[in-house]
Amino acid sequence: MILVHKLSAITKDGWRYTRNRLIHPGLTNAAYDVCGIIWQSGSTNQDNISKALKMDKSSVAKVVNKCVNDGLVERRVNPSNRREYILTLTSEGQTVVQELIDIVEQWQSESLSVLSEEERVQFLNMVDRVAVHTDKMNQV
């Protein structure tokens, strides 16, 4: 099997595992990704989310609107740039992201349990190196 197919299968298995345990199973993967980016930064704007997730701005805007309507994200006008919105998580959004993090960490721990501690460290380091390299390849 080609590497990209194996990675895709692992990712799909991870999302399936995660989705079966979430309190908010109706949310899309993209909505969880957007909330995760906001959680990491504390607050951000749609442009930063678009760059972080490598998604086009109109797709991010649709996901953000859904998250706002679902009560997960709060949108405020940026006082220093009135054309921009600052996005933060609501308390419900913070609960959802923490739940997701806990489940993903459980999945990762269970998935990597077939490796020794040394192998896990090496594997994660290699994945990081490949991710940095492929990101650079796509910036050309």
Side-chain angles (χ1 to χ4, degrees), residues 15 28-38 40 44-57 59-61 63-64 67 135:
W15 272 112
T28 64
N29 295 355
Y32 279 106
D33 288 342
V34 164
C35 289
I37 295 298
I38 297 169
Q40 285 177 331
T44 191
N45 60 41
Q46 288 182 190
D47 191 44
N48 290 338
I49 294 170
S50 177
K51 289 174 186 171
L53 296 178
K54 300 176 184 175
M55 288 175 62
D56 65 86
K57 291 178 183 181
S59 295
V60 169
V63 175
V64 166
C67 290
D135 188 50

Side-chain angles (χ1 to χ4, degrees), residues 5-6 9 12 14-15 17 19 31 35 52 54 64 72 80 93 105 112 120 123 125-128 134 138-139:
H5 296 287
K6 286 186 180 186
K12 286 177 185 174
W15 272 112
Y17 177 97
R19 187 156 302 284
C35 289
K54 300 176 184 175
V64 166
L72 303 174
S80 60
E105 285 177 353
L112 298 180
R120 277 188 285 253
F123 174 73
N125 285 336
M126 286 187 273
V127 168
D128 285 343
T134 58
N138 286 315
Q139 291 177 8

Side-chain angles (χ1 to χ4, degrees), residues 79-132:
S80 60
N81 179 356
R82 309 245 344 125
R83 296 176 296 162
E84 177 182 81
Y85 291 101
I86 300 295
L87 305 170
T88 56
L89 291 177
T90 62
S91 61
E92 175 73 8
Q94 290 174 5
T95 300
V96 166
V97 171
Q98 189 58 58
E99 173 196 14
L100 176 65
I101 289 168
D102 292 345
I103 294 169
V104 168
E105 285 177 353
Q106 180 184 15
W107 176 80
Q108 182 173 308
S109 177
E110 288 181 31
S111 298
L112 298 180
S113 68
V114 298
L115 303 174
S116 70
E117 182 62 30
E118 183 180 334
E119 289 171 326
R120 277 188 285 253
V121 170
Q122 289 175 348
F123 174 73
L124 293 173
N125 285 336
M126 286 187 273
V127 168
D128 285 343
R129 284 179 32 211
V130 170
V132 168

